[in-house]
Amino acid sequence: MENMAEEELLPLEKEEGAQVGVPTSAPASARVSDSAPEPAPTPASAPAPALARAQTPTLSPSLASAPEEAESKRHISIQRQLADLEKLAFVTEGDFDSTSSLNSDNLDAGNKQACPLCPKEKFRACNSHKLRRHLQNLHWKVSVEYEGFRMCICHLPCRPVKPNIIGEQISSKMGAHYHCIICSATITRRTDMLGHVRRHVNKGETKSRYIVVSTTKPSNEILKEADTDVQVCPNYSIPQKTDSYFNPKMKLNRQLIFCTLAALAEERKPLECLDAFGATGIMGLQWAKHLGNAVKVTINDMNENSVTLIQKNCHLNKLKVVVDSKEKEGGDCLGEEEQNLGNIKVTKMDANVLMHLRSFDFIHLDPFGTSVNYLDSAFRNIRNLGIVSVTSTDISSLYAKAQHVARRHYGCNIVRTEYYKELAARIVVAAVARAAARCNKGIEVLFAVALEHFVLVVVRVLRGPTSADETAKKIQYLIHCQWCEERIFQKDGNMVEENPYRQLPCNCHGTMPGKTAIELGPLWSSSLFNTGFLKRMLFESLHHGVDDIQTLIKTLIFESECTLQSQFSTQTPSNVKKQEENDVFIKTTDTTTEHLQGKRKSHEVITNLAKKQKSDVSTEHPPFYYNIHRHSIKGMNMPKLKKFLCYLSQAGFRVSRTHFDPMGVRTDAPLLQFKSILLQYSTPTYTGGQSEGYVQSSPENSVADKVE
């Protein structure tokens, strides 16, 4: 029967021999597809079977008899029975006479058999009973079953593995993996392989569409964002499968940082900017392409492939690249308009080392995960009145899903609250403030944004131990009530308070048994927004045509002033212009600010700017916010959010919406007053068809009793 199967297989191999790729590093025993001896070939036809044999190593003998299964080109690790897997390694004495088996591996092995799924360095040729035990215990025992087939674990070098740098030597391990029977994917873990097959079944993909992986690399895709072309690698949105990670969902983050840099560029020119983790280099390319000679961009990355990709993207956008002080032009011939674009310096080193060696005016940190490991070196050489922007994507720890990780990275104790996003922003700002204070520097928070995928904090650096001391005083602990979620920052002082529950406006500790509050922090207790800088960012977004973030910046402006949009629009244009002129840096369309011709401004100008900063301290917005759904009253229909904001404003409280929560209300009203006004303007559920109006007035004591 084996001879008949072999005779049927040979014509098929001749036809498909040119289509099937041969992995160059596969063992010689994996190239033999059966064990039966062949008849003596004629001189004219002798080379044909040998060539066909050498070109079809991935076709298993159990699948060769069926034409439909042979067309699927499944990997040799996918078999029906253990005996079929043993046949791949069986070599008889007659095969040594054929031209297809004359190689050094078989001659050295003699009558011994080698494992078809392991390289020679991992498993040497041995006797049949040892090979059977090896296949049974290592490959067949941990296989994944699907429709009568077994996907055995494979140790062949058919899955690329990233090299590990050990000292000065580079070692690359060939990891074990599974080959999917439905697609051409290779999965390392068995549990992941089970989930991978289950997803195929859920999608209805049960027919095999296996494609042999070709040795040629797939062509890179070119994406366009903000008039900037960027070349990305395959699987660019999956950080586990690529070195150069590109996330399209972070477009809002990149636009915010661009407007921040554009506003800073109006203060002094030229700016030395650093993108510490370039990946594809999209952010630095946007800076250099749209701001021109106003910035000197440095893009850094530790990975060699990412550095090469960044250089290609610079050439793609016709920008000049400086690598190791050697200038490489991005094109063969550059026009007059293209030569006006800024230069880009591409470096390959650790981000901490680079920030220790050089000083910058603007530093952006966007590592994969937390950024606390790079804050000390970022504040070491940052220039006075420079800007540091930090993007943290470890939202599982910041949003209190992994509290132990937040305690390990940020030294902060947190729980899940209704204002968890602002809590995350204040945690990051506190970590940034502590890192700046260790370098005798203070910070001024320009804005802090916490969205679904990231937390972005942008701060201005103020040199001097006095600024560092003032910054350190703004890091405090928060007392949070677990019952009503009322919160308040602890009062300053070194004395231990006998009853810290008295600081809370609520009376939950008196009415509830046991401990009702928890101490969170340390957190940043001061303002999170600078109104004047946000207005300049809004102007720059209009100037450069960045439309996606204009709504967000307007929300941040209203939130920083804690005013409603209707109240803001009633102000006269002269008042708005006066506010902008009283800001730290003047920005108008008619006049231009004083720019520095060299690298640094004079000491007198910096002193005047610092004085303007201190004189322009406005009333800070109230910390945190309340969710209107969280404090809704059972059996009552709440008023619309816009109307409720007007009701709070009419009651004499400062109120605004917040970008942290679409149903959040930022106000300085205590929670008791917040609930009483919400109850006053709510209607019973059974009168849902009627319009919203006043409920029968009652004394404040009875309203408070109803709320409690």
Side-chain angles (χ1 to χ4, degrees):
M1 295 298 293
E2 296 176 356
N3 295 336
M4 295 176 61
E6 182 185 0
E7 293 175 359
E8 295 176 359
L9 176 62
L10 289 177
L12 181 62
E13 291 175 339
K14 294 178 182 178
E15 296 176 0
E16 299 181 355
Q19 300 177 0
V20 181
V22 181
T24 58
S25 58
S29 57
R31 303 190 186 102
V32 183
S33 61
D34 56 7
S35 60
E38 296 180 359
T42 59
S45 61
L51 180 61
R53 278 178 167 275
Q55 292 180 346
T56 57
T58 58
L59 195 60
S60 59
S62 61
L63 306 177
S65 59
E68 296 180 357
E69 295 177 353
E71 293 177 356
S72 61
K73 304 181 183 65
R74 296 187 181 93
H75 195 264
I76 57 175
S77 61
I78 304 173
Q79 301 292 336
R80 288 186 180 273
Q81 298 177 1
L82 179 60
D84 298 331
L85 191 60
E86 295 178 8
K87 292 177 183 178
L88 295 176
F90 186 75
V91 180
T92 59
E93 297 179 358
D95 287 335
F96 288 104
D97 299 322
S98 62
T99 57
S100 61
S101 59
L102 289 178
N103 51 58
S104 58
D105 297 338
N106 291 336
L107 291 176
D108 295 339
N111 293 330
K112 297 182 180 180
Q113 302 168 4
C115 178
L117 300 179
C118 294
K120 183 180 178 182
E121 296 80 9
K122 182 177 180 62
F123 185 81
R124 296 183 179 180
C126 61
N127 298 328
S128 59
H129 66 281
K130 291 185 179 180
L131 176 63
R132 187 180 302 108
R133 184 172 55 191
H134 167 78
L135 295 174
Q136 173 68 29
N137 296 334
L138 182 62
H139 298 283
W140 193 262
K141 191 175 182 179
V142 293
S143 61
V144 178
E145 186 175 0
Y146 176 75
E147 293 186 357
F149 287 93
R150 289 290 191 98
M151 292 172 278
C152 303
I153 191 167
C154 175
H155 291 269
L156 297 178
C158 45
R159 176 182 173 87
V161 180
K162 298 179 181 179
N164 298 326
I165 301 177
I166 303 175
E168 297 181 354
Q169 299 179 354
I170 299 178
S171 64
S172 58
K173 294 183 178 180
M174 294 301 174
H177 55 275
Y178 295 89
H179 291 267
C180 180
I181 193 175
I182 300 176
C183 64
S184 59
T186 55
I187 311 296
T188 55
R189 296 184 180 181
R190 187 175 185 273
T191 54
D192 297 342
M193 188 67 203
L194 293 172
H196 179 79
V197 175
R198 193 180 302 113
R199 286 191 292 270
H200 277 306
V201 175
N202 294 338
K203 294 179 181 179
E205 300 174 352
T206 57
K207 186 177 180 181
S208 176
R209 50 184 179 88
Y210 188 92
I211 302 175
V212 178
V213 181
S214 60
T215 57
T216 59
K217 295 183 179 180
S219 58
N220 295 340
E221 184 180 357
I222 296 179
L223 303 179
K224 190 170 185 178
E225 180 180 303
D227 296 332
T228 304
D229 297 328
V230 58
Q231 188 177 5
V232 296
C233 299
N235 299 322
Y236 59 87
S237 60
I238 305 175
Q240 291 82 6
K241 293 186 178 182
T242 181
D243 298 329
S244 301
Y245 178 53
F246 178 79
N247 190 359
K249 298 180 181 178
M250 298 290 285
K251 180 181 179 182
L252 194 65
N253 176 274
R254 290 187 283 269
Q255 292 179 347
L256 284 172
I257 296 169
F258 172 77
C259 292
T260 302
L261 183 59
L264 181 63
E266 295 296 328
E267 303 173 10
R268 55 184 185 268
K269 296 178 182 180
L271 293 175
E272 294 192 12
C273 313
L274 171 65
D275 184 8
F277 303 90
T280 58
I282 176 64
M283 191 172 295
L285 292 173
Q286 292 178 356
W287 300 347
K289 194 166 186 178
H290 295 282
L291 298 180
N293 293 327
V295 294
K296 293 182 178 179
V297 181
T298 301
I299 306 178
N300 176 71
D301 202 285
M302 187 63 183
N303 188 271
E304 181 68 29
N305 298 331
S306 298
V307 172
T308 305
L309 187 61
I310 292 171
Q311 297 177 13
K312 292 181 180 178
N313 290 331
C314 292
H315 300 335
L316 187 63
N317 291 274
K318 299 180 181 179
L319 295 171
K320 294 182 180 180
V321 184
V322 179
V323 181
D324 296 331
S325 301
K326 294 180 180 180
E327 196 172 289
K328 298 181 180 180
E329 295 186 355
D332 297 335
C333 55
L334 298 177
E336 296 180 356
E337 299 180 359
E338 297 171 355
Q339 290 181 355
N340 293 332
L341 299 177
N343 299 339
I344 293 182
K345 185 175 182 179
V346 182
T347 58
K348 177 186 176 297
M349 62 177 65
D350 187 80
N352 286 324
V353 176
L354 178 61
M355 289 184 289
H356 274 288
L357 293 177
R358 294 179 52 190
S359 58
F360 296 94
D361 298 294
F362 182 86
I363 295 178
H364 175 61
L365 301 176
D366 187 9
F368 184 72
T370 181
S371 57
V372 293
N373 299 327
Y374 307 95
L375 294 178
D376 289 330
S377 55
F379 285 97
R380 180 64 60 186
N381 285 331
I382 187 70
R383 291 171 180 167
N384 192 22
L385 297 180
I387 289 180
V388 176
S389 63
V390 179
T391 300
S392 300
T393 54
D394 54 335
I395 56 176
S396 60
S397 59
L398 291 175
Y399 290 172
K401 296 179 181 178
Q403 302 176 8
H404 61 286
V405 181
R407 189 178 296 109
R408 181 172 71 246
H409 287 168
Y410 300 95
C412 183
N413 180 36
I414 57 174
V415 294
R416 184 78 171 191
T417 61
E418 64 172 328
Y419 50 91
Y420 66 95
K421 286 190 176 181
E422 184 172 347
L423 200 66
R426 292 184 180 274
I427 290 173
V428 178
V429 176
V432 171
R434 288 195 298 268
R438 285 192 291 268
C439 300
N440 287 335
K441 294 182 178 69
I443 64 169
E444 179 195 2
V445 183
L446 299 181
F447 65 91
V449 176
L451 298 179
E452 181 181 0
H453 303 287
F454 64 91
V455 176
L456 174 63
V457 171
V458 178
V459 299
R460 187 187 295 275
V461 180
L462 306 175
R463 280 192 172 183
T466 304
S467 301
D469 294 337
E470 293 178 358
T471 299
K473 291 179 182 178
K474 298 177 181 179
I475 302 177
Q476 299 177 0
Y477 284 89
L478 183 74
I479 301 177
H480 170 79
C481 180
Q482 294 279 57
W483 288 97
C484 65
E485 297 208 23
E486 183 64 287
R487 76 293 301 212
I488 190 171
F489 282 104
Q490 282 187 354
K491 297 179 180 179
D492 296 334
N494 299 327
M495 303 302 294
V496 179
E497 190 171 357
E498 182 180 359
N499 186 8
Y501 295 100
R502 295 178 181 176
Q503 299 184 17
L504 287 170
C506 63
N507 193 27
C508 295
H509 181 66
T511 57
M512 301 292 179
K515 298 180 179 180
T516 58
I518 188 174
E519 189 179 61
L520 306 180
L523 306 172
W524 177 257
S525 60
S526 185
S527 175
L528 292 178
F529 310 101
N530 186 309
T531 308
F533 192 83
L534 289 172
K535 291 178 181 178
R536 294 171 54 211
M537 287 180 59
L538 181 60
F539 177 82
E540 295 298 335
S541 65
L542 294 171
H543 177 68
H544 292 280
V546 185
D547 301 331
D548 298 338
I549 63 170
Q550 293 178 8
T551 304
L552 176 60
I553 295 178
K554 291 178 182 178
T555 305
L556 295 178
I557 293 175
F558 300 142
E559 188 175 0
S560 64
E561 297 181 344
C562 200
T563 56
L564 297 177
Q565 187 173 359
S566 58
Q567 297 177 357
F568 185 83
S569 61
T570 57
Q571 296 178 353
T572 59
S574 60
N575 293 336
V576 178
K577 183 178 181 181
K578 185 178 180 180
Q579 287 181 1
E580 292 184 358
E581 290 180 350
N582 290 335
D583 199 1
V584 180
F585 302 104
I586 301 174
K587 180 69 184 73
T588 58
T589 56
D590 299 333
T591 61
T592 58
T593 58
E594 179 184 0
H595 298 301
L596 176 66
Q597 302 298 331
K599 291 185 178 180
R600 300 287 301 275
K601 285 191 173 182
S602 63
H603 180 71
E604 297 179 357
V605 176
I606 295 178
T607 305
N608 295 334
L609 292 175
K611 290 181 179 179
K612 288 183 179 180
Q613 269 186 334
K614 294 181 180 179
S615 63
D616 191 46
V617 176
S618 59
T619 55
E620 297 181 355
H621 60 83
F624 303 110
Y625 53 89
Y626 300 103
N627 187 289
I628 189 172
H629 287 297
R630 167 67 178 80
H631 301 286
S632 61
I633 302 163
K634 187 177 181 180
M636 305 288 285
N637 288 333
M638 297 184 305
K640 298 294 182 180
L641 181 60
K642 291 184 178 180
K643 292 186 178 181
F644 180 69
L645 295 177
C646 295
Y647 297 152
L648 279 175
S649 180
Q650 292 172 4
F653 298 107
R654 298 175 62 194
V655 61
S656 69
R657 300 189 67 172
T658 176
H659 81 280
F660 293 110
D661 190 353
M663 298 304 296
V665 178
R666 185 180 295 278
T667 178
D668 57 350
L671 183 60
L672 184 62
Q673 298 292 335
F674 183 89
K675 287 186 175 181
S676 63
I677 295 176
L678 185 62
L679 175 64
Q680 182 180 2
Y681 292 96
S682 299
T683 57
T685 305
Y686 58 85
T687 59
Q690 300 179 3
S691 61
E692 300 171 354
Y694 291 91
V695 185
Q696 292 182 356
S697 60
S698 58
E700 293 183 359
N701 296 332
S702 62
V703 172
D705 295 339
K706 291 182 180 179
V707 172
E708 293 296 333

